[in-house]
């Protein structure tokens, strides 16, 4: 009698696929149990139940959803938005930064004391005279 496969049974490909999916499900369920055990042992609530199916683990953020890690581009955009919000808040409170104002005003340059001027001239290599009036 020739060895002929039963035509009513599943094919070898379907059998292999069924085994592999069953293997994946068992490993995922074991991983979830281990994760739950480790979370309860470490600190309760670090990884939420909603993030576990999305790939979140004790040291990893989920791959999707609201708690996923930001990309570099999204982080830059968010930082820019936060900066603009701070500027608006400062303007609303009255703390406006003057961009046109010079660094050193004229009144500061006029009020230099004689001591500062002599120290600058000595540092420049000018005359080597030292004032002795303020020394006690």
């Amino acid at each position: 009698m020739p060895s002929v496969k039963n035509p009513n049974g599943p094919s070898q490909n379907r059998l292999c696929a069924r085994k592999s999916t069953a293997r994946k499900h068992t490993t995922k369920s074991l991983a979830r149990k281990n994760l739950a055990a480790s979370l309860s042992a470490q600190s309760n609530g670090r990884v939420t139940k909603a993030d576990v199916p999305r790939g979140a683990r004790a040291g990893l953020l989920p791959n999707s959803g609201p708690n996923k890690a930001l990309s570099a581009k999204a982080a830059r955009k968010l930082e820019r938005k936060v900066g603009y919000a701070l500027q608006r808040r400062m303007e609303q409170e009255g703390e406006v930064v003057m961009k046109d104002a010079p660094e050193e005003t004229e009144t500061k340059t006029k009020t230099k004391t004689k001591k500062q001027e002599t120290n600058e001239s000595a540092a420049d290599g000018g005359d080597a005279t030292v004032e002795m009036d303020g020394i006690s």
Side-chain angles (χ1 to χ4, degrees):
M1 187 131 176
S3 62
V4 177
K5 186 174 126 177
N6 182 3
N8 296 327
S11 67
Q12 293 296 319
N13 287 339
R14 285 301 331 137
L15 289 173
C16 289
R18 191 184 300 161
K19 277 185 183 180
S20 68
T21 53
R23 194 179 316 123
K24 285 177 189 174
H25 285 298
T26 55
T27 55
K28 275 192 176 181
S29 65
L30 286 175
R32 283 187 187 138
K33 286 180 184 176
N34 291 340
L35 176 67
S38 67
L39 283 178
S40 63
Q42 290 176 2
S43 64
N44 294 330
R46 218 183 261 184
V47 177
T48 61
K49 284 185 179 180
D51 290 337
V52 170
R54 297 185 187 120
R57 297 292 177 260
L60 297 174
L61 291 173
N63 297 326
S64 62
N67 296 331
K68 71 177 180 180
L70 284 178
S71 66
K73 182 178 179 180
R76 285 194 306 267
K77 289 172 100 174
L78 184 65
E79 188 175 338
R80 203 175 302 136
K81 286 180 182 180
V82 168
Y84 290 143
L86 282 174
Q87 282 182 355
R88 283 194 303 271
R89 191 162 127 208
M90 285 174 61
E91 287 175 2
Q92 192 177 21
E93 291 174 357
E95 302 174 26
V96 179
V97 177
M98 296 192 309
K99 297 176 184 172
D100 300 346
E103 291 289 323
E104 191 172 317
T105 60
E106 294 176 19
T107 56
K108 285 184 181 178
T109 56
K110 286 181 182 177
T111 58
K112 280 189 179 179
T113 60
K114 281 188 175 182
K115 212 174 214 182
Q116 290 175 344
E117 289 175 3
T118 56
N119 289 344
E120 287 175 3
S121 65
D124 291 338
D127 56 338
T129 58
V130 178
E131 285 190 29
M132 301 297 281
D133 296 338
I135 298 174
S136 56

